[in-house]
Amino acid sequence: MNILFLGDVTARSGRDAVMRRLPKLKQETSADFTIVNGENAAHGKGITSSIYRQLIEAGADVVTLGNHAFSKSEICSRMEECPYLIRPANLEPKEDGRAWIVRECHGKKIAVVNVLGSIFMDAAAEDPFVTMDSLLEEIDADLIICDFHAEATAEKELFLRVYHDRLAAIIGTHTHVQTADEQIYHGCAYISDAGMCGPFDSILGRDCVEVIDRMVHKQLTKYKPSQAEAMISGVVIEVDESTCRAVSIRRIQERP
Ligand code: FE2
């Protein structure tokens, strides 16, 4: 079976690009199961319940999040109305929303988990290794896919070395820059970062002029997502249904 994973959907142009492109992209990649990281979908930070619904209607089976999971207050009270939305298992407050989900595909139980890294992340989160260990005790599934939302590539590579035998895929998100280190490591598909579905002419999705004014000219600016046309980034993972292990991973990157 083929699993399509799209990296951080960022701002309006990223949302529009995913809505427009996802149905066809699923056909072209023969995707049986689709995971979309919606962490930055609402104005560059967080998600709303209506954007979640749009991503599901466009073809996502599961929407994952990240350090901005609770940035929009609306979603905090609506998580229960979003059955295929998962928040990082180790992000506080842990009471809100689901930490993992199991969906069936081709008669196999696919679990999707979302875990935050600990290095250079300004979010209140439990140690990702403690969290992953307890998730593995809890989850009953044929294969488990982890969206590891983290900044440091070293921590992501470490995560792979620790969990490759128990996870079918570890897909890094958060940096918005796709890495070229995709690999199958003993049956576990891995990439340090899947990249962003968001404005191409931007600084990680943010308006270039706004960032220059803030960082170079030391002006007090208000966060502003770029309105430039979006790129699409992600990976397609092929899983052997007899072993439930990954056999290939391929990068997708479409620029405007
Ligand atoms: Fe993030």
Side-chain angles (χ1 to χ4, degrees):
M1 87 176 68
N2 288 336
I3 296 167
L4 173 64
F5 187 106
L6 293 185
D8 308 36
V9 177
T10 303
R12 177 178 291 279
S13 81
R15 292 195 317 263
D16 290 347
V18 170
M19 310 300 172
R20 193 171 57 237
R21 188 72 182 97
L22 184 53
K24 194 87 196 293
L25 191 56
K26 285 179 67 166
Q27 283 177 13
E28 290 166 7
T29 57
S30 305
D32 302 295
F33 194 83
T34 300
I35 303 164
V36 176
N37 182 297
E39 137 92 346
N40 304 107
H43 202 66
K45 287 181 183 175
I47 195 167
T48 62
S49 55
S50 78
I51 291 173
Y52 157 81
R53 277 192 297 277
Q54 289 169 30
L55 292 173
I56 295 290
E57 279 162 22
D61 294 296
V62 177
V63 176
T64 57
L65 293 170
N67 50 310
H68 294 302
F70 305 125
S71 291
K72 299 282 178 279
S73 54
E74 183 262 4
I75 197 67
C76 299
S77 57
R78 293 242 160 103
M79 286 238 170
E80 291 308 311
E81 299 165 28
C82 306
Y84 307 122
L85 179 68
I86 57 167
R87 39 66 56 83
N90 52 339
L91 178 65
E92 302 289 350
K94 288 189 189 165
E95 303 74 46
D96 292 342
R98 292 165 192 77
W100 52 275
I101 193 167
V102 175
R103 295 203 72 177
E104 239 181 74
C105 179
H106 289 199
K108 301 290 179 192
K109 287 195 274 184
I110 302 177
V112 183
V113 302
N114 192 192
V115 177
L116 274 191
S118 62
I119 300 173
F120 307 134
M121 300 292 286
D122 56 349
E126 185 184 54
D127 179 286
F129 297 91
V130 171
T131 298
M132 194 67 237
D133 286 346
S134 65
L135 286 172
L136 287 168
E137 283 182 19
E138 247 177 89
I139 296 172
D140 174 25
D142 296 305
L143 63 144
I144 305 175
I145 295 162
C146 180
D147 173 347
F148 189 43
H149 195 81
E151 178 73 31
T153 47
E155 189 177 30
K156 295 175 183 183
E157 290 192 350
L158 169 62
F159 205 79
L160 171 66
R161 296 316 189 275
V162 175
Y163 295 112
H164 65 84
D165 54 343
R166 285 162 289 171
L167 301 176
I170 297 168
I171 306 302
T173 56
H174 178 66
T175 73
H176 292 199
V177 178
Q178 188 179 71
T179 55
D181 60 345
E182 76 279 13
Q183 59 189 280
I184 299 297
Y185 187 84
H186 302 282
C188 178
Y190 173 82
I191 188 166
S192 289
D193 209 292
M196 161 180 80
C197 296
F200 182 67
D201 183 9
S202 72
I203 297 172
L204 308 183
R206 194 163 165 176
D207 182 83
C208 298
V209 173
E210 189 260 309
V211 178
I212 291 167
D213 283 345
R214 187 180 187 87
M215 302 301 291
V216 180
H217 305 308
K218 310 299 178 198
Q219 292 173 10
L220 194 58
T221 60
K222 197 165 170 232
Y223 177 91
K224 186 179 172 193
S226 167
Q227 293 177 9
E229 206 179 326
M231 67 191 303
I232 295 273
S233 309
V235 289
V236 184
I237 303 151
E238 186 189 351
V239 172
D240 180 336
E241 289 180 34
S242 62
T243 61
C244 289
R245 301 296 290 161
V247 291
S248 73
I249 177 168
R250 176 169 68 82
R251 276 183 287 135
I252 293 171
Q253 194 186 98
E254 297 176 354
R255 299 181 185 188

